[in-house]
Amino acid sequence: LLESPTGTGKTLCLLCAALGWRQALLDGRVRPMYSLVESRGDAQPVETVVVAPPLRSFVPRIVYASRTHSQLAQVVSELKRTAYRPKSVVFGSREQSCVHPDVSELRGLALTHACQSLTKANGCKFHANLMRQKASPAGVPVHPEVLDIEEFSSLCRSKELCPFYYARELQAEAEILFVPYNYLIDAKSRNALGLSGGRDILIFDEA
């Protein structure tokens, strides 16, 4: 738990510390440790600290959560000031991500239902283009830039790809995810995105 007045650099400290430690894991300079608790009959459970082997599969990703997307945009802006350029993705709702000219004018459940109906019927060209790229030998391209949600949506609009589903495709390769609080707190949203938190580094900013 880190508490400090506004403007003292908490966000930059959190980002650099987490990304620096993660890079050290990748370089093999440190190894991750986790606790293993074993129950042996009626005896007191025994806790053992286990050092994981230096494999890339053990390198956790970072999940950075904040209250609003404007706050997440500030975090992304801080990340751009550092020397780190991790594979990143910002998760947003359909309302914040949709680039379909008609559906994006709707709000709430009306937008959600229209999106689901169009994608199911293969009627959204942005989603259809994304699925075609996913099925191609090259697969879905991983963009190298660190982008906030508005920049990501603009990039997708120029490439005629759906930002909402594109972000979810990029999740598998992402090294850092930027999400609103509810994506971690709500069990349905958390499970849908595979945010188990078991080996992820979870950072709650402005909690």
Side-chain angles (χ1 to χ4, degrees):
L1 180 62
L2 177 64
E3 184 177 359
S4 182
T6 301
T8 53
K10 295 188 300 295
T11 298
L12 206 56
C13 288
L14 288 168
L15 284 172
C16 290
L19 288 166
W21 181 79
R22 191 180 186 281
Q23 188 60 51
L25 287 179
L26 286 170
D27 296 341
R29 288 179 281 129
V30 297
R31 294 187 183 183
M33 295 187 297
Y34 59 93
S35 296
L36 178 65
V37 180
E38 297 179 290
S39 296
R40 300 175 180 175
D42 296 330
Q44 188 74 14
V46 178
E47 182 175 2
T48 306
V49 175
V50 180
V51 179
L55 299 175
R56 189 181 180 87
S57 60
F58 282 94
V59 178
R61 65 182 173 181
I62 300 166
V63 182
Y64 200 111
S66 195
R67 191 171 68 255
T68 66
H69 275 288
S70 61
Q71 289 174 334
L72 288 176
Q74 292 174 4
V75 177
V76 173
S77 178
E78 290 291 317
L79 177 57
K80 291 178 180 179
R81 295 174 54 197
T82 73
Y84 297 102
R85 289 298 177 266
K87 296 176 184 176
S88 64
V89 63
V90 181
F91 284 131
S93 66
R94 285 179 170 85
E95 283 192 19
Q96 293 157 324
S97 305
C98 184
V99 293
H100 190 283
D102 298 323
V103 178
S104 60
E105 295 298 319
L106 304 174
R107 291 293 178 267
L109 287 176
L111 186 149
T112 299
H113 292 156
C115 171
Q116 292 173 338
S117 298
L118 272 179
T119 54
K120 187 177 181 180
N122 203 31
C124 174
K125 70 174 183 179
F126 301 96
H127 180 263
N129 288 341
L130 179 65
M131 292 301 102
R132 275 195 293 271
Q133 286 206 8
K134 182 180 179 181
S136 69
V140 175
V142 178
H143 64 87
E145 304 97 336
V146 175
L147 306 174
D148 62 30
I149 192 166
E150 292 185 1
E151 293 168 334
F152 182 63
S153 294
S154 296
L155 174 69
C156 290
R157 185 180 287 107
S158 67
K159 295 180 178 294
E160 296 193 333
L161 299 174
C162 172
F164 182 77
Y165 287 101
Y166 190 10
R168 281 142 185 82
E169 293 296 332
L170 292 176
Q171 176 193 351
E173 297 294 327
E175 296 166 327
I176 181 168
L177 310 178
F178 296 101
V179 300
Y181 287 160
N182 62 294
Y183 279 71
L184 293 179
I185 296 172
D186 181 69
K188 187 176 180 181
S189 298
R190 188 171 64 245
N191 293 333
L193 294 174
L195 299 175
S196 64
R199 286 184 178 171
D200 294 332
I201 300 171
L202 304 181
I203 300 175
F204 280 80
D205 196 4
E206 303 288 351

PDB file of all heavy atoms in Angstrom, residues 150-183:
ATOM      1  N   GLU A 150      -8.278   6.294 -26.748  1.00  0.00           N
ATOM      2  CA  GLU A 150      -8.655   7.135 -27.886  1.00  0.00           C
ATOM      3  C   GLU A 150      -7.695   6.928 -29.056  1.00  0.00           C
ATOM      4  O   GLU A 150      -8.117   6.851 -30.215  1.00  0.00           O
ATOM      5  CB  GLU A 150      -8.701   8.601 -27.470  1.00  0.00           C
ATOM      6  CG  GLU A 150      -9.841   8.928 -26.502  1.00  0.00           C
ATOM      7  CD  GLU A 150      -9.926  10.414 -26.212  1.00  0.00           C
ATOM      8  OE1 GLU A 150      -9.118  11.181 -26.770  1.00  0.00           O
ATOM      9  OE2 GLU A 150     -10.814  10.797 -25.416  1.00  0.00           O
ATOM     10  N   GLU A 151      -6.410   6.842 -28.767  1.00  0.00           N
ATOM     11  CA  GLU A 151      -5.413   6.599 -29.819  1.00  0.00           C
ATOM     12  C   GLU A 151      -5.600   5.218 -30.434  1.00  0.00           C
ATOM     13  O   GLU A 151      -5.472   5.046 -31.645  1.00  0.00           O
ATOM     14  CB  GLU A 151      -4.006   6.734 -29.233  1.00  0.00           C
ATOM     15  CG  GLU A 151      -3.654   8.148 -28.793  1.00  0.00           C
ATOM     16  CD  GLU A 151      -2.388   8.198 -27.969  1.00  0.00           C
ATOM     17  OE1 GLU A 151      -2.040   7.185 -27.326  1.00  0.00           O
ATOM     18  OE2 GLU A 151      -1.734   9.268 -27.958  1.00  0.00           O
ATOM     19  N   PHE A 152      -5.913   4.243 -29.581  1.00  0.00           N
ATOM     20  CA  PHE A 152      -6.134   2.877 -30.056  1.00  0.00           C
ATOM     21  C   PHE A 152      -7.366   2.818 -30.957  1.00  0.00           C
ATOM     22  O   PHE A 152      -7.352   2.172 -32.014  1.00  0.00           O
ATOM     23  CB  PHE A 152      -6.289   1.934 -28.870  1.00  0.00           C
ATOM     24  CG  PHE A 152      -6.485   0.494 -29.245  1.00  0.00           C
ATOM     25  CD1 PHE A 152      -5.492  -0.206 -29.918  1.00  0.00           C
ATOM     26  CD2 PHE A 152      -7.647  -0.170 -28.915  1.00  0.00           C
ATOM     27  CE1 PHE A 152      -5.668  -1.544 -30.262  1.00  0.00           C
ATOM     28  CE2 PHE A 152      -7.840  -1.500 -29.254  1.00  0.00           C
ATOM     29  CZ  PHE A 152      -6.844  -2.186 -29.934  1.00  0.00           C
ATOM     30  N   SER A 153      -8.448   3.496 -30.565  1.00  0.00           N
ATOM     31  CA  SER A 153      -9.668   3.524 -31.374  1.00  0.00           C
ATOM     32  C   SER A 153      -9.420   4.215 -32.716  1.00  0.00           C
ATOM     33  O   SER A 153      -9.932   3.777 -33.749  1.00  0.00           O
ATOM     34  CB  SER A 153     -10.797   4.230 -30.618  1.00  0.00           C
ATOM     35  OG  SER A 153     -11.170   3.483 -29.474  1.00  0.00           O
ATOM     36  N   SER A 154      -8.638   5.286 -32.712  1.00  0.00           N
ATOM     37  CA  SER A 154      -8.313   5.985 -33.964  1.00  0.00           C
ATOM     38  C   SER A 154      -7.499   5.094 -34.888  1.00  0.00           C
ATOM     39  O   SER A 154      -7.726   5.064 -36.110  1.00  0.00           O
ATOM     40  CB  SER A 154      -7.524   7.263 -33.660  1.00  0.00           C
ATOM     41  OG  SER A 154      -8.302   8.175 -32.923  1.00  0.00           O
ATOM     42  N   LEU A 155      -6.551   4.343 -34.316  1.00  0.00           N
ATOM     43  CA  LEU A 155      -5.760   3.405 -35.114  1.00  0.00           C
ATOM     44  C   LEU A 155      -6.654   2.344 -35.731  1.00  0.00           C
ATOM     45  O   LEU A 155      -6.527   2.026 -36.927  1.00  0.00           O
ATOM     46  CB  LEU A 155      -4.697   2.745 -34.230  1.00  0.00           C
ATOM     47  CG  LEU A 155      -3.874   1.622 -34.881  1.00  0.00           C
ATOM     48  CD1 LEU A 155      -2.957   2.189 -35.949  1.00  0.00           C
ATOM     49  CD2 LEU A 155      -3.057   0.875 -33.819  1.00  0.00           C
ATOM     50  N   CYS A 156      -7.571   1.809 -34.941  1.00  0.00           N
ATOM     51  CA  CYS A 156      -8.479   0.775 -35.435  1.00  0.00           C
ATOM     52  C   CYS A 156      -9.409   1.317 -36.513  1.00  0.00           C
ATOM     53  O   CYS A 156      -9.702   0.632 -37.496  1.00  0.00           O
ATOM     54  CB  CYS A 156      -9.301   0.201 -34.279  1.00  0.00           C
ATOM     55  SG  CYS A 156      -8.342  -0.797 -33.133  1.00  0.00           S
ATOM     56  N   ARG A 157      -9.867   2.557 -36.323  1.00  0.00           N
ATOM     57  CA  ARG A 157     -10.745   3.154 -37.325  1.00  0.00           C
ATOM     58  C   ARG A 157     -10.021   3.291 -38.661  1.00  0.00           C
ATOM     59  O   ARG A 157     -10.591   3.005 -39.720  1.00  0.00           O
ATOM     60  CB  ARG A 157     -11.235   4.527 -36.850  1.00  0.00           C
ATOM     61  CG  ARG A 157     -12.257   5.171 -37.797  1.00  0.00           C
ATOM     62  CD  ARG A 157     -12.714   6.526 -37.290  1.00  0.00           C
ATOM     63  NE  ARG A 157     -13.600   6.392 -36.130  1.00  0.00           N
ATOM     64  CZ  ARG A 157     -13.249   6.681 -34.883  1.00  0.00           C
ATOM     65  NH1 ARG A 157     -12.013   7.124 -34.618  1.00  0.00           N
ATOM     66  NH2 ARG A 157     -14.114   6.542 -33.901  1.00  0.00           N
ATOM     67  N   SER A 158      -8.757   3.675 -38.616  1.00  0.00           N
ATOM     68  CA  SER A 158      -7.989   3.833 -39.860  1.00  0.00           C
ATOM     69  C   SER A 158      -7.732   2.495 -40.548  1.00  0.00           C
ATOM     70  O   SER A 158      -7.634   2.430 -41.771  1.00  0.00           O
ATOM     71  CB  SER A 158      -6.656   4.530 -39.565  1.00  0.00           C
ATOM     72  OG  SER A 158      -5.805   3.699 -38.784  1.00  0.00           O
ATOM     73  N   LYS A 159      -7.664   1.421 -39.756  1.00  0.00           N
ATOM     74  CA  LYS A 159      -7.425   0.086 -40.308  1.00  0.00           C
ATOM     75  C   LYS A 159      -8.714  -0.703 -40.488  1.00  0.00           C
ATOM     76  O   LYS A 159      -8.699  -1.869 -40.909  1.00  0.00           O
ATOM     77  CB  LYS A 159      -6.465  -0.698 -39.399  1.00  0.00           C
ATOM     78  CG  LYS A 159      -5.082  -0.105 -39.326  1.00  0.00           C
ATOM     79  CD  LYS A 159      -4.181  -0.928 -38.416  1.00  0.00           C
ATOM     80  CE  LYS A 159      -2.761  -0.363 -38.360  1.00  0.00           C
ATOM     81  NZ  LYS A 159      -2.085  -0.474 -39.662  1.00  0.00           N
ATOM     82  N   GLU A 160      -9.844  -0.066 -40.131  1.00  0.00           N
ATOM     83  CA  GLU A 160     -11.173  -0.687 -40.211  1.00  0.00           C
ATOM     84  C   GLU A 160     -11.229  -1.999 -39.424  1.00  0.00           C
ATOM     85  O   GLU A 160     -11.673  -3.035 -39.913  1.00  0.00           O
ATOM     86  CB  GLU A 160     -11.595  -0.896 -41.672  1.00  0.00           C
ATOM     87  CG  GLU A 160     -11.772   0.402 -42.445  1.00  0.00           C
ATOM     88  CD  GLU A 160     -12.473   0.215 -43.778  1.00  0.00           C
ATOM     89  OE1 GLU A 160     -12.382  -0.889 -44.348  1.00  0.00           O
ATOM     90  OE2 GLU A 160     -13.122   1.178 -44.236  1.00  0.00           O
ATOM     91  N   LEU A 161     -10.770  -1.918 -38.174  1.00  0.00           N
ATOM     92  CA  LEU A 161     -10.823  -3.043 -37.250  1.00  0.00           C
ATOM     93  C   LEU A 161     -11.627  -2.628 -36.018  1.00  0.00           C
ATOM     94  O   LEU A 161     -11.657  -1.455 -35.651  1.00  0.00           O
ATOM     95  CB  LEU A 161      -9.419  -3.467 -36.819  1.00  0.00           C
ATOM     96  CG  LEU A 161      -8.471  -3.950 -37.919  1.00  0.00           C
ATOM     97  CD1 LEU A 161      -7.072  -4.188 -37.332  1.00  0.00           C
ATOM     98  CD2 LEU A 161      -8.987  -5.213 -38.592  1.00  0.00           C
ATOM     99  N   CYS A 162     -12.257  -3.600 -35.365  1.00  0.00           N
ATOM    100  CA  CYS A 162     -13.074  -3.314 -34.185  1.00  0.00           C
ATOM    101  C   CYS A 162     -12.186  -3.191 -32.950  1.00  0.00           C
ATOM    102  O   CYS A 162     -11.538  -4.169 -32.544  1.00  0.00           O
ATOM    103  CB  CYS A 162     -14.095  -4.435 -33.979  1.00  0.00           C
ATOM    104  SG  CYS A 162     -14.994  -4.294 -32.414  1.00  0.00           S
ATOM    105  N   PRO A 163     -12.130  -2.016 -32.309  1.00  0.00           N
ATOM    106  CA  PRO A 163     -11.275  -1.844 -31.130  1.00  0.00           C
ATOM    107  C   PRO A 163     -11.683  -2.727 -29.960  1.00  0.00           C
ATOM    108  O   PRO A 163     -10.827  -3.226 -29.233  1.00  0.00           O
ATOM    109  CB  PRO A 163     -11.453  -0.359 -30.774  1.00  0.00           C
ATOM    110  CG  PRO A 163     -11.999   0.283 -31.998  1.00  0.00           C
ATOM    111  CD  PRO A 163     -12.801  -0.763 -32.688  1.00  0.00           C
ATOM    112  N   PHE A 164     -12.990  -2.911 -29.763  1.00  0.00           N
ATOM    113  CA  PHE A 164     -13.482  -3.683 -28.626  1.00  0.00           C
ATOM    114  C   PHE A 164     -12.961  -5.121 -28.670  1.00  0.00           C
ATOM    115  O   PHE A 164     -12.403  -5.633 -27.698  1.00  0.00           O
ATOM    116  CB  PHE A 164     -15.009  -3.665 -28.607  1.00  0.00           C
ATOM    117  CG  PHE A 164     -15.625  -4.400 -27.442  1.00  0.00           C
ATOM    118  CD1 PHE A 164     -15.657  -3.821 -26.179  1.00  0.00           C
ATOM    119  CD2 PHE A 164     -16.163  -5.664 -27.613  1.00  0.00           C
ATOM    120  CE1 PHE A 164     -16.219  -4.502 -25.103  1.00  0.00           C
ATOM    121  CE2 PHE A 164     -16.722  -6.349 -26.538  1.00  0.00           C
ATOM    122  CZ  PHE A 164     -16.759  -5.769 -25.283  1.00  0.00           C
ATOM    123  N   TYR A 165     -13.131  -5.774 -29.813  1.00  0.00           N
ATOM    124  CA  TYR A 165     -12.692  -7.173 -29.937  1.00  0.00           C
ATOM    125  C   TYR A 165     -11.187  -7.274 -30.219  1.00  0.00           C
ATOM    126  O   TYR A 165     -10.554  -8.269 -29.863  1.00  0.00           O
ATOM    127  CB  TYR A 165     -13.499  -7.885 -31.023  1.00  0.00           C
ATOM    128  CG  TYR A 165     -14.916  -8.179 -30.598  1.00  0.00           C
ATOM    129  CD1 TYR A 165     -15.980  -7.376 -31.026  1.00  0.00           C
ATOM    130  CD2 TYR A 165     -15.202  -9.238 -29.750  1.00  0.00           C
ATOM    131  CE1 TYR A 165     -17.278  -7.632 -30.617  1.00  0.00           C
ATOM    132  CE2 TYR A 165     -16.498  -9.503 -29.341  1.00  0.00           C
ATOM    133  CZ  TYR A 165     -17.535  -8.704 -29.774  1.00  0.00           C
ATOM    134  OH  TYR A 165     -18.827  -8.952 -29.364  1.00  0.00           O
ATOM    135  N   TYR A 166     -10.629  -6.268 -30.840  1.00  0.00           N
ATOM    136  CA  TYR A 166      -9.183  -6.265 -31.111  1.00  0.00           C
ATOM    137  C   TYR A 166      -8.410  -6.261 -29.788  1.00  0.00           C
ATOM    138  O   TYR A 166      -7.422  -6.994 -29.625  1.00  0.00           O
ATOM    139  CB  TYR A 166      -8.829  -5.042 -31.951  1.00  0.00           C
ATOM    140  CG  TYR A 166      -7.421  -5.002 -32.513  1.00  0.00           C
ATOM    141  CD1 TYR A 166      -6.574  -6.092 -32.459  1.00  0.00           C
ATOM    142  CD2 TYR A 166      -6.942  -3.839 -33.116  1.00  0.00           C
ATOM    143  CE1 TYR A 166      -5.289  -6.044 -32.984  1.00  0.00           C
ATOM    144  CE2 TYR A 166      -5.661  -3.777 -33.645  1.00  0.00           C
ATOM    145  CZ  TYR A 166      -4.844  -4.882 -33.564  1.00  0.00           C
ATOM    146  OH  TYR A 166      -3.570  -4.831 -34.079  1.00  0.00           O
ATOM    147  N   ALA A 167      -8.864  -5.447 -28.831  1.00  0.00           N
ATOM    148  CA  ALA A 167      -8.197  -5.384 -27.535  1.00  0.00           C
ATOM    149  C   ALA A 167      -8.199  -6.749 -26.863  1.00  0.00           C
ATOM    150  O   ALA A 167      -7.219  -7.157 -26.226  1.00  0.00           O
ATOM    151  CB  ALA A 167      -8.879  -4.348 -26.643  1.00  0.00           C
ATOM    152  N   ARG A 168      -9.290  -7.463 -27.012  1.00  0.00           N
ATOM    153  CA  ARG A 168      -9.388  -8.785 -26.394  1.00  0.00           C
ATOM    154  C   ARG A 168      -8.502  -9.814 -27.093  1.00  0.00           C
ATOM    155  O   ARG A 168      -8.026 -10.750 -26.462  1.00  0.00           O
ATOM    156  CB  ARG A 168     -10.851  -9.214 -26.360  1.00  0.00           C
ATOM    157  CG  ARG A 168     -11.600  -8.544 -25.201  1.00  0.00           C
ATOM    158  CD  ARG A 168     -13.004  -8.130 -25.519  1.00  0.00           C
ATOM    159  NE  ARG A 168     -13.547  -7.395 -24.375  1.00  0.00           N
ATOM    160  CZ  ARG A 168     -13.327  -6.106 -24.134  1.00  0.00           C
ATOM    161  NH1 ARG A 168     -12.554  -5.400 -24.942  1.00  0.00           N
ATOM    162  NH2 ARG A 168     -13.854  -5.505 -23.084  1.00  0.00           N
ATOM    163  N   GLU A 169      -8.282  -9.635 -28.380  1.00  0.00           N
ATOM    164  CA  GLU A 169      -7.360 -10.518 -29.093  1.00  0.00           C
ATOM    165  C   GLU A 169      -5.913 -10.240 -28.688  1.00  0.00           C
ATOM    166  O   GLU A 169      -5.085 -11.150 -28.623  1.00  0.00           O
ATOM    167  CB  GLU A 169      -7.519 -10.335 -30.606  1.00  0.00           C
ATOM    168  CG  GLU A 169      -8.854 -10.788 -31.169  1.00  0.00           C
ATOM    169  CD  GLU A 169      -9.082 -12.279 -31.026  1.00  0.00           C
ATOM    170  OE1 GLU A 169      -8.087 -13.046 -30.999  1.00  0.00           O
ATOM    171  OE2 GLU A 169     -10.252 -12.698 -30.923  1.00  0.00           O
ATOM    172  N   LEU A 170      -5.611  -8.967 -28.402  1.00  0.00           N
ATOM    173  CA  LEU A 170      -4.250  -8.581 -28.031  1.00  0.00           C
ATOM    174  C   LEU A 170      -3.901  -8.982 -26.606  1.00  0.00           C
ATOM    175  O   LEU A 170      -2.728  -8.999 -26.224  1.00  0.00           O
ATOM    176  CB  LEU A 170      -4.067  -7.065 -28.181  1.00  0.00           C
ATOM    177  CG  LEU A 170      -4.091  -6.510 -29.600  1.00  0.00           C
ATOM    178  CD1 LEU A 170      -4.003  -4.988 -29.562  1.00  0.00           C
ATOM    179  CD2 LEU A 170      -2.944  -7.074 -30.431  1.00  0.00           C
ATOM    180  N   GLN A 171      -4.910  -9.299 -25.818  1.00  0.00           N
ATOM    181  CA  GLN A 171      -4.683  -9.608 -24.410  1.00  0.00           C
ATOM    182  C   GLN A 171      -3.692 -10.754 -24.214  1.00  0.00           C
ATOM    183  O   GLN A 171      -2.869 -10.721 -23.305  1.00  0.00           O
ATOM    184  CB  GLN A 171      -6.007  -9.964 -23.741  1.00  0.00           C
ATOM    185  CG  GLN A 171      -5.858 -10.384 -22.295  1.00  0.00           C
ATOM    186  CD  GLN A 171      -7.117 -11.030 -21.752  1.00  0.00           C
ATOM    187  OE1 GLN A 171      -8.150 -11.007 -22.405  1.00  0.00           O
ATOM    188  NE2 GLN A 171      -7.035 -11.628 -20.583  1.00  0.00           N
ATOM    189  N   ALA A 172      -3.771 -11.763 -25.088  1.00  0.00           N
ATOM    190  CA  ALA A 172      -2.921 -12.950 -24.926  1.00  0.00           C
ATOM    191  C   ALA A 172      -1.433 -12.609 -24.991  1.00  0.00           C
ATOM    192  O   ALA A 172      -0.613 -13.241 -24.324  1.00  0.00           O
ATOM    193  CB  ALA A 172      -3.267 -13.989 -25.987  1.00  0.00           C
ATOM    194  N   GLU A 173      -1.074 -11.579 -25.796  1.00  0.00           N
ATOM    195  CA  GLU A 173       0.333 -11.212 -25.959  1.00  0.00           C
ATOM    196  C   GLU A 173       0.737 -10.007 -25.120  1.00  0.00           C
ATOM    197  O   GLU A 173       1.914  -9.653 -25.069  1.00  0.00           O
ATOM    198  CB  GLU A 173       0.614 -10.899 -27.439  1.00  0.00           C
ATOM    199  CG  GLU A 173       0.413 -12.073 -28.378  1.00  0.00           C
ATOM    200  CD  GLU A 173       1.415 -13.190 -28.129  1.00  0.00           C
ATOM    201  OE1 GLU A 173       2.560 -12.879 -27.738  1.00  0.00           O
ATOM    202  OE2 GLU A 173       1.036 -14.358 -28.285  1.00  0.00           O
ATOM    203  N   ALA A 174      -0.250  -9.382 -24.474  1.00  0.00           N
ATOM    204  CA  ALA A 174       0.037  -8.146 -23.734  1.00  0.00           C
ATOM    205  C   ALA A 174       0.877  -8.417 -22.496  1.00  0.00           C
ATOM    206  O   ALA A 174       0.694  -9.421 -21.804  1.00  0.00           O
ATOM    207  CB  ALA A 174      -1.264  -7.461 -23.343  1.00  0.00           C
ATOM    208  N   GLU A 175       1.791  -7.501 -22.232  1.00  0.00           N
ATOM    209  CA  GLU A 175       2.625  -7.573 -21.031  1.00  0.00           C
ATOM    210  C   GLU A 175       2.075  -6.677 -19.919  1.00  0.00           C
ATOM    211  O   GLU A 175       2.373  -6.884 -18.752  1.00  0.00           O
ATOM    212  CB  GLU A 175       4.052  -7.160 -21.378  1.00  0.00           C
ATOM    213  CG  GLU A 175       4.704  -8.118 -22.378  1.00  0.00           C
ATOM    214  CD  GLU A 175       5.968  -7.562 -22.995  1.00  0.00           C
ATOM    215  OE1 GLU A 175       6.057  -6.333 -23.195  1.00  0.00           O
ATOM    216  OE2 GLU A 175       6.871  -8.372 -23.278  1.00  0.00           O
ATOM    217  N   ILE A 176       1.270  -5.690 -20.326  1.00  0.00           N
ATOM    218  CA  ILE A 176       0.599  -4.841 -19.339  1.00  0.00           C
ATOM    219  C   ILE A 176      -0.803  -4.510 -19.857  1.00  0.00           C
ATOM    220  O   ILE A 176      -0.970  -4.143 -21.026  1.00  0.00           O
ATOM    221  CB  ILE A 176       1.414  -3.553 -19.045  1.00  0.00           C
ATOM    222  CG1 ILE A 176       0.698  -2.687 -17.995  1.00  0.00           C
ATOM    223  CG2 ILE A 176       1.701  -2.754 -20.286  1.00  0.00           C
ATOM    224  CD1 ILE A 176       1.567  -1.563 -17.438  1.00  0.00           C
ATOM    225  N   LEU A 177      -1.805  -4.686 -18.992  1.00  0.00           N
ATOM    226  CA  LEU A 177      -3.193  -4.385 -19.328  1.00  0.00           C
ATOM    227  C   LEU A 177      -3.640  -3.198 -18.494  1.00  0.00           C
ATOM    228  O   LEU A 177      -3.372  -3.140 -17.288  1.00  0.00           O
ATOM    229  CB  LEU A 177      -4.106  -5.577 -19.023  1.00  0.00           C
ATOM    230  CG  LEU A 177      -3.722  -6.953 -19.545  1.00  0.00           C
ATOM    231  CD1 LEU A 177      -4.748  -7.987 -19.081  1.00  0.00           C
ATOM    232  CD2 LEU A 177      -3.640  -6.950 -21.056  1.00  0.00           C
ATOM    233  N   PHE A 178      -4.319  -2.254 -19.135  1.00  0.00           N
ATOM    234  CA  PHE A 178      -4.901  -1.119 -18.424  1.00  0.00           C
ATOM    235  C   PHE A 178      -6.415  -1.309 -18.404  1.00  0.00           C
ATOM    236  O   PHE A 178      -7.045  -1.410 -19.470  1.00  0.00           O
ATOM    237  CB  PHE A 178      -4.540   0.196 -19.117  1.00  0.00           C
ATOM    238  CG  PHE A 178      -3.063   0.499 -19.109  1.00  0.00           C
ATOM    239  CD1 PHE A 178      -2.287   0.261 -20.242  1.00  0.00           C
ATOM    240  CD2 PHE A 178      -2.448   0.995 -17.977  1.00  0.00           C
ATOM    241  CE1 PHE A 178      -0.925   0.531 -20.234  1.00  0.00           C
ATOM    242  CE2 PHE A 178      -1.084   1.268 -17.972  1.00  0.00           C
ATOM    243  CZ  PHE A 178      -0.323   1.036 -19.093  1.00  0.00           C
ATOM    244  N   VAL A 179      -6.988  -1.374 -17.205  1.00  0.00           N
ATOM    245  CA  VAL A 179      -8.421  -1.683 -17.089  1.00  0.00           C
ATOM    246  C   VAL A 179      -9.075  -0.785 -16.042  1.00  0.00           C
ATOM    247  O   VAL A 179      -8.429  -0.378 -15.073  1.00  0.00           O
ATOM    248  CB  VAL A 179      -8.644  -3.161 -16.694  1.00  0.00           C
ATOM    249  CG1 VAL A 179      -8.047  -4.107 -17.720  1.00  0.00           C
ATOM    250  CG2 VAL A 179      -8.068  -3.470 -15.316  1.00  0.00           C
ATOM    251  N   PRO A 180     -10.375  -0.498 -16.196  1.00  0.00           N
ATOM    252  CA  PRO A 180     -11.120   0.159 -15.116  1.00  0.00           C
ATOM    253  C   PRO A 180     -11.314  -0.829 -13.963  1.00  0.00           C
ATOM    254  O   PRO A 180     -11.247  -2.042 -14.153  1.00  0.00           O
ATOM    255  CB  PRO A 180     -12.467   0.497 -15.780  1.00  0.00           C
ATOM    256  CG  PRO A 180     -12.240   0.375 -17.248  1.00  0.00           C
ATOM    257  CD  PRO A 180     -11.182  -0.660 -17.414  1.00  0.00           C
ATOM    258  N   TYR A 181     -11.572  -0.284 -12.769  1.00  0.00           N
ATOM    259  CA  TYR A 181     -11.734  -1.134 -11.589  1.00  0.00           C
ATOM    260  C   TYR A 181     -12.718  -2.278 -11.801  1.00  0.00           C
ATOM    261  O   TYR A 181     -12.481  -3.406 -11.358  1.00  0.00           O
ATOM    262  CB  TYR A 181     -12.262  -0.302 -10.402  1.00  0.00           C
ATOM    263  CG  TYR A 181     -11.278   0.636  -9.781  1.00  0.00           C
ATOM    264  CD1 TYR A 181     -11.715   1.709  -9.003  1.00  0.00           C
ATOM    265  CD2 TYR A 181      -9.904   0.467  -9.934  1.00  0.00           C
ATOM    266  CE1 TYR A 181     -10.824   2.577  -8.415  1.00  0.00           C
ATOM    267  CE2 TYR A 181      -9.007   1.328  -9.350  1.00  0.00           C
ATOM    268  CZ  TYR A 181      -9.470   2.390  -8.590  1.00  0.00           C
ATOM    269  OH  TYR A 181      -8.581   3.252  -8.011  1.00  0.00           O
ATOM    270  N   ASN A 182     -13.868  -1.968 -12.426  1.00  0.00           N
ATOM    271  CA  ASN A 182     -14.944  -2.970 -12.494  1.00  0.00           C
ATOM    272  C   ASN A 182     -14.538  -4.226 -13.246  1.00  0.00           C
ATOM    273  O   ASN A 182     -15.120  -5.294 -13.034  1.00  0.00           O
ATOM    274  CB  ASN A 182     -16.200  -2.361 -13.133  1.00  0.00           C
ATOM    275  CG  ASN A 182     -15.977  -1.907 -14.556  1.00  0.00           C
ATOM    276  OD1 ASN A 182     -15.213  -0.976 -14.787  1.00  0.00           O
ATOM    277  ND2 ASN A 182     -16.636  -2.536 -15.516  1.00  0.00           N
ATOM    278  N   TYR A 183     -13.523  -4.137 -14.117  1.00  0.00           N
ATOM    279  CA  TYR A 183     -13.077  -5.329 -14.835  1.00  0.00           C
ATOM    280  C   TYR A 183     -12.427  -6.331 -13.880  1.00  0.00           C
ATOM    281  O   TYR A 183     -12.403  -7.531 -14.165  1.00  0.00           O
ATOM    282  CB  TYR A 183     -12.071  -4.955 -15.925  1.00  0.00           C
ATOM    283  CG  TYR A 183     -12.711  -4.449 -17.190  1.00  0.00           C
ATOM    284  CD1 TYR A 183     -13.325  -3.205 -17.211  1.00  0.00           C
ATOM    285  CD2 TYR A 183     -12.707  -5.203 -18.344  1.00  0.00           C
ATOM    286  CE1 TYR A 183     -13.914  -2.734 -18.362  1.00  0.00           C
ATOM    287  CE2 TYR A 183     -13.297  -4.735 -19.511  1.00  0.00           C
ATOM    288  CZ  TYR A 183     -13.898  -3.488 -19.512  1.00  0.00           C
ATOM    289  OH  TYR A 183     -14.492  -3.031 -20.654  1.00  0.00           O
TER     290      TYR A 183
END
